[in-house]
């Protein structure tokens, strides 16, 4: 392969105070499997990963990050040299607008936390793409998966969106299997249920096919 591939994986954590944070159920398994699949084909792989409890694959450059902002900075500082970027990370869409310096004590019956939008990393990459660079995003939906994912493909100026429906058995968070649909501007292909390793290999094959 001899290409440079950047994969993002895992969740991000957005601090509320020194004790608590906002995150999601991403395990990192799909992203780590993608990094491994690209490495096995001889790519020079950088894996930008949010906090995960799994072993990173060997022979990839691991860049650990915690927040969406850190992931944005880590990705955009090397994105210009990548041939393929696969954004499997479940990046927080919002973070607390203010991070409390001290632990928040309980007082009222109800309390709210003001949130602000994070920067859309894939959206940024789509706006600043290099000629020939392939951008692959992920889309996790619980309803209207195809319509929403096609909208994301266009909005974020990506080449491919790997969509999965959280409500389908064997798909989504924490599982070792996944059920995904590969969506490009002119194609839409649902893969049968398979291991995340096999899904990763199929995604890498599809990207290479689309690039030539
Ligand atoms: N993504 C990103 N930066 C963000 C949020 C998401 O790069 N701040 C990327 C994810 O890594 C994924 C894709 O965008 O590849 C889809 O993420 P998702 O959160 O499902 O899409 P949104 O556009 O945020 O749409 P919605 O919130 O309406 O589902």
């Amino acid at each position: 392969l001899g290409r440079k591939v950047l994969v993002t994986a895992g969740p991000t954590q957005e601090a509320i105070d020194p004790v608590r944070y906002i995150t999601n159920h991403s395990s990192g398994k799909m992203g780590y499997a993608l990094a491994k699949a690209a490495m096995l084909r001889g790519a020079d792989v950088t894996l930008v990963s949010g906090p995960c409890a799994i072993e990173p694959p060997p022979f990839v450059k691991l860049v650990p990050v915690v927040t969406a902002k850190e992931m944005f900075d880590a990705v955009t500082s090397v994105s210009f040299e990548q041939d393929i970027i696969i954004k499997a990370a479940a990046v927080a869409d919002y973070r607390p607008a203010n991070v409390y310096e001290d632990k928040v004590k309980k007082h009222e019956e109800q309390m709210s936390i003001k949130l602000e939008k994070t920067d859309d990393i894939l959206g940024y990459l789509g706006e600043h793409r290099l000629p020939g660079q392939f951008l692959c995003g992920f889309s996790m939906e619980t309803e209207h998966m195809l319509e929403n994912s096609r909208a994301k493909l266009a909005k974020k100026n990506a080449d491919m969106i790997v969509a999965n429906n959280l409500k389908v058995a064997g798909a989504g968070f924490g599982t070792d299997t996944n059920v995904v649909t590969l969506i490009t501007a002119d194609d839409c292909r649902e893969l049968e249920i398979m291991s995340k390793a096999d899904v990763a290999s199929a995604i890498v094959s599809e990207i290479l096919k689309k690039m030539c």
Side-chain angles (χ1 to χ4, degrees):
L1 191 69
R3 289 192 166 103
K4 294 194 74 139
V5 178
L6 175 67
V7 179
T8 70
T12 64
Q13 292 177 356
E14 313 297 331
I16 297 168
D17 69 9
V19 181
R20 298 125 174 154
Y21 55 80
I22 296 174
T23 189
N24 58 66
H25 291 297
S26 173
S27 64
K29 283 179 181 171
M30 195 61 242
Y32 280 40
L34 280 158
K36 184 172 181 181
M39 177 277 289
L40 286 173
R41 294 193 202 198
D44 177 356
V45 181
T46 303
L47 174 60
V48 176
S49 175
C52 292
I54 54 176
E55 263 310 287
F59 311 117
V60 310
K61 193 205 282 170
L62 180 70
V63 181
V65 297
V66 176
T67 64
K69 174 80 175 83
E70 286 172 14
M71 186 170 280
F72 182 91
D73 291 342
V75 168
T76 54
S77 67
V78 294
S79 57
F80 60 90
E81 55 189 32
Q82 306 299 326
D83 299 304
I84 300 169
I85 302 179
I86 308 176
K87 287 241 57 214
V91 186
D93 288 324
Y94 291 90
R95 69 176 153 241
N98 303 293
V99 182
Y100 293 89
E101 219 172 288
D102 294 302
K103 185 183 169 195
V104 178
K105 304 298 286 179
K106 57 180 166 304
H107 297 292
E108 313 300 325
E109 279 307 306
Q110 297 194 347
M111 69 96 75
S112 52
I113 300 168
K114 194 172 176 197
L115 302 176
E116 65 184 15
K117 251 192 186 162
T118 59
D119 289 322
D120 187 327
I121 307 170
L122 185 59
Y124 178 92
L125 296 173
E127 268 173 42
H128 299 88
R129 56 157 70 243
L130 297 179
Q133 188 175 60
F134 194 97
L135 285 183
C136 172
F138 271 67
S139 173
M140 189 172 254
E141 302 289 348
T142 56
E143 52 181 3
H144 312 302
M145 182 188 80
L146 287 181
E147 301 94 287
N148 289 349
S149 302
R150 283 208 183 94
K152 265 177 222 180
L153 182 77
K155 194 178 104 198
K156 302 197 184 199
N157 193 23
D159 298 295
M160 185 160 93
I161 292 284
V162 179
N164 60 24
N165 183 340
L166 255 189
K167 292 191 171 164
V168 170
F173 294 122
T175 54
D176 288 314
T177 56
N178 212 351
V179 184
V180 304
T181 302
L182 307 184
I183 301 168
T184 55
D186 53 8
D187 205 8
C188 177
R189 206 154 63 82
E190 183 175 345
L191 307 183
E192 59 191 34
I193 183 168
M194 54 179 112
S195 68
K196 284 186 175 171
D198 287 343
V199 173
S201 176
I203 291 169
V204 172
S205 296
E206 189 69 16
I207 291 174
L208 293 174
K209 211 165 83 190
K210 297 278 178 201
M211 282 180 87
C212 60

